[in-house]
Amino acid sequence: MTPRADSLTVEVVDLIGTVVARYYEEYEHAAAEHSLTGAQARVLRLLSLEPLPMRKIAQCLKCEPSNITGIVDRLESRGLVERRPDPADRRIKLAAPTDEGARTAEALRTSLSFAREPLGRLTVTERTLLKELLQRMLGVAPE
């Protein structure tokens, strides 16, 4: 049996949920300003980090590969993404941002004031601690 969470843990979980909901709301709004859906913006952001095969995009975003194919098709028709052969295995196609897609992904990333403004109220030490705590929560090795 899982022990009941203490009231502090419940409060922290509620606050994290509020932050996540506000972040997604702003992300959807920022995406709409570029005539993108939230899903299209998330795919474009992911591809701005590195070109990926459809299956890997689906794994990262926890959805079906068929959904990703449609999203990439729409991004490709707008000139934001292109498909190219994987240099390691030419049978596999990678989705990669075009120059315009990379600029759009960067514009989206930098337009998210909701996340930046509250963080700006924290000191560098507090932001560093928050980053390290979030990394620990996610099981990510600190940089």
Side-chain angles (χ1 to χ4, degrees), residues 2-3 5 9-10 13-14 23 34 38 41 46-48 51 56 62 69 73 76 91 96 104 106 112 122 125-126:
T2 305
T9 299
V10 169
V13 168
D14 286 346
Y23 175 83
H34 292 275
L46 186 61
L47 294 177
S48 73
K56 181 68 175 176
K62 306 206 180 337
T69 300
D73 285 347
E76 188 174 38
R91 296 170 296 174
T104 301
E106 181 61 18
L112 298 174
L122 302 178
T125 301
E126 290 169 331

Side-chain angles (χ1 to χ4, degrees), residues 40 43 47 54 57 65-83 95:
Q40 289 170 338
V43 168
L47 294 177
M54 305 294 177
I57 300 168
S66 60
N67 292 345
I68 298 303
T69 300
I71 292 169
V72 170
D73 285 347
R74 287 185 288 284
L75 290 170
E76 188 174 38
S77 72
R78 292 204 34 210
L80 299 173
V81 168
E82 63 186 9
R83 288 177 169 96

Side-chain angles (χ1 to χ4, degrees), residues 126-136 142-143:
E126 290 169 331
R127 287 193 308 268
T128 301
L129 178 59
L130 178 59
K131 175 185 163 188
E132 291 168 356
L133 291 171
L134 290 170
Q135 288 172 326
R136 277 183 49 200
E143 297 172 354

Side-chain angles (χ1 to χ4, degrees), residues 58-114:
Q59 288 171 345
C60 290
L61 298 180
K62 306 206 180 337
C63 65
E64 292 297 316
S66 60
N67 292 345
I68 298 303
T69 300
I71 292 169
V72 170
D73 285 347
R74 287 185 288 284
L75 290 170
E76 188 174 38
S77 72
R78 292 204 34 210
L80 299 173
V81 168
E82 63 186 9
R83 288 177 169 96
R84 56 173 83 141
D86 183 341
D89 184 345
R90 297 189 63 77
R91 296 170 296 174
I92 297 173
K93 293 284 187 195
L94 300 177
T98 61
D99 290 343
E100 180 64 24
R103 284 191 294 276
T104 301
E106 181 61 18
L108 275 165
R109 189 175 74 77
T110 59
S111 71
L112 298 174
S113 59
F114 160 72

Side-chain angles (χ1 to χ4, degrees), residues 29-51:
H29 178 73
E33 287 183 357
H34 292 275
S35 301
L36 297 170
T37 65
Q40 289 170 338
R42 285 187 289 282
V43 168
L44 192 57
R45 174 69 184 128
L46 186 61
L47 294 177
S48 73
L49 302 174
E50 68 177 313

